[in-house]
């Protein structure tokens, strides 16, 4: 249809660039709504929610990543993290400066 669709993410959407520092995404919460590709952590392991329509299972009872009976149908292991929760309120430009050296 010529239109671009942008996923702005749900409450669990995290900036993947920040994950490179070893910080953990938000802790998994049962009954939360997770979008395709959302990242969560459980016991310092990072999991990614499945693509649509399987993402609809990600927040359901029985699908807690790494522990519940059906978790592998909704989640995949991405890696590990240090346990420091990501600060989702931080600007994506923190630590960067413009051409004039002014902090953004």
């Amino acid at each position: 249809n010529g239109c671009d669709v942008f996923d702005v993410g749900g409450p669990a959407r995290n900036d993947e660039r920040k994950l490179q520092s070893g910080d953990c995404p938000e802790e998994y919460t049962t009954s939360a709504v997770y979008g395709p590709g959302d990242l969560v952590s459980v016991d310092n392991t990072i999991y990614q929610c499945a693509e649509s329509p399987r993402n609809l299972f990600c927040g359901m009872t029985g699908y807690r990543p790494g522990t519940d009976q059906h978790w592998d149908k909704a989640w995949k292991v991405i890696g590990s993290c240090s346990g420091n929760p990501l600060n989702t309120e931080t600007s994506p430009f923190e630590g960067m400066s413009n051409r004039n050296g002014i902090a953004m």
Side-chain angles (χ1 to χ4, degrees):
N1 66 12
C3 294
D4 290 326
V5 176
F6 297 96
D7 181 6
V8 295
R13 179 70 62 188
N14 294 291
D15 182 354
E16 292 187 42
R17 184 174 46 85
K18 289 182 181 178
L19 293 178
Q20 293 175 358
S21 68
D23 290 340
C24 289
E26 293 177 23
E27 188 74 18
Y28 173 82
T29 304
T30 301
S31 76
V33 176
Y34 294 103
D38 278 351
L39 301 174
V40 298
S41 63
V42 175
D43 298 328
N44 296 336
T45 301
I46 302 170
Y47 298 89
Q48 184 175 41
C49 183
E51 294 300 316
S52 185
R54 290 189 301 145
N55 70 293
L56 299 175
F57 296 106
C58 290
M60 296 176 69
T61 301
Y63 291 87
R64 178 180 171 83
T67 60
D68 285 354
Q69 182 178 3
H70 304 291
W71 77 268
D72 59 342
K73 292 172 179 52
W75 296 96
K76 70 177 177 178
V77 175
I78 297 298
S80 61
C81 55
S82 67
N84 299 321
L86 280 178
N87 179 359
T88 56
E89 301 300 318
T90 302
S91 166
F93 303 108
E94 183 177 315
M96 298 176 75
S97 57
N98 65 17
R99 285 184 269 175
N100 298 321
I102 298 172
M104 298 171 71

